[in-house]
Amino acid sequence: GGTAEARDLAGLLAADPAPGWRVTSSLAGRVSTPRLPPGEVRVGGFGGAEGLAAWLTGHRVDALVDATHPFAAAMSRHAAEAAARTDVPLLVLRRPGWTPAPGDDWHDAGSLTEAAGQLPSLGRRVFLTTGRMGLAAFAALDELWFLVRSVEPPGEPAPSRTEVLLDRGPFTLAGERELLRRHRIDVVVTKDSGGAAT
Ligand SMILES: NC(=O)c1ccc[n+]([C@@H]2O[C@H](COP(=O)([O-])OP(=O)(O)OC[C@H]3O[C@@H](n4cnc5c(N)ncnc54)[C@H](OP(=O)(O)O)[C@@H]3O)[C@@H](O)[C@H]2O)c1
């Protein structure tokens, strides 16, 4: 789990009138007060693919669903490995990335470090929506001002001119526009994680 889609799926399965479903959602434990999906929930890492494989066997799991965020690469890799090792069928919920439309002014970056390298040529006032992990990539950009939005306070080194906004989605288009206006944002850094909400 760890996504709105995973919560929706857990809700659909919990509401399924067919008897016999036992659904467990798994969360990494990054957020101290997570939005809990319906049904059983377990929190914390499994200990790599090997740990997940042992969990699947130990709990006699019939099917595994990878509904993690598109940027949760390690977990998806471990799920594929563990499913193959234990012969448990794996369903992967994929959110395709976005497609630019006329008028969009997008600058692709392959990593947060690459994005940080591009920023000084794109603007002075930055809205960073990539989460509190990886903030260190922007820490040296002292000449820029950052609005950092995250669910939990960032623990990593941050740029010296940073304002933190603790909030969690879903957000509204009108609210987002107002935020950009109020803070006179020049450039937004976000993850191309697909979906309509972002
Ligand atoms: N990356 C993002 O931008 C992002 C955005 C929104 C939500 N999320 C959600 O936040 C969680 C962590 O994301 P991440 O990018 O840090 O993951 P990651 O880099 O792929 O995973 C790092 C480690 O965290 C543990 N882990 C990750 N997802 C887990 C889950 N659903 N249940 C149990 N353990 C999990 C695993 O530990 P072990 O090896 O010990 O099993 C994994 O090896 C995921 O559930 C993801 O869906 C991520």
Side-chain angles (χ1 to χ4, degrees):
T3 58
E5 288 83 355
R7 269 198 310 279
D8 289 349
L9 179 59
L12 288 169
L13 289 171
D16 191 324
W21 284 121
R22 190 171 157 197
V23 180
T24 306
S25 294
S26 173
L27 303 178
R30 301 276 188 276
V31 180
S32 53
T33 52
R35 286 221 177 97
L36 291 178
E40 294 171 36
V41 179
R42 62 159 305 285
V43 181
F46 294 94
E50 206 168 302
L52 178 56
W55 198 94
L56 295 176
T57 307
H59 291 77
R60 293 183 289 118
V61 168
D62 293 314
L64 176 63
V65 180
D66 173 10
T68 54
H69 187 273
F71 279 67
M75 194 62 234
S76 290
R77 199 173 55 247
H78 296 170
E81 271 178 45
R85 210 179 284 184
T86 54
D87 249 339
V88 169
L90 171 69
L91 175 79
V92 184
L93 268 182
R94 288 247 187 272
R95 254 170 26 191
W98 301 316
T99 312
D104 284 337
D105 183 13
W106 294 1
H107 301 261
D108 285 327
S111 66
L112 292 176
T113 308
E114 217 180 276
Q118 290 189 31
L119 270 183
S121 66
L122 297 175
R124 315 308 292 169
R125 297 181 63 83
V126 183
F127 182 26
L128 206 59
T129 76
T130 46
R132 73 196 158 104
M133 319 289 264
L135 202 53
F138 302 91
L141 295 173
D142 288 331
E143 72 278 21
L144 307 186
W145 180 88
F146 287 85
L147 177 65
V148 173
R149 181 166 66 193
S150 55
V151 179
E152 306 263 315
E156 295 189 24
S160 55
R161 300 170 62 215
T162 292
E163 183 174 326
V164 175
L165 173 62
L166 295 182
D167 204 355
R168 92 168 100 190
F171 304 103
T172 65
L173 181 57
E176 296 292 78
R177 283 195 167 135
E178 171 52 26
L179 193 68
L180 297 181
R181 233 183 332 254
R182 181 156 27 102
H183 292 284
R184 293 177 286 115
I185 297 298
D186 299 318
V187 51
V188 178
V189 184
T190 194
K191 289 177 175 171
D192 182 356
S193 51
T198 320

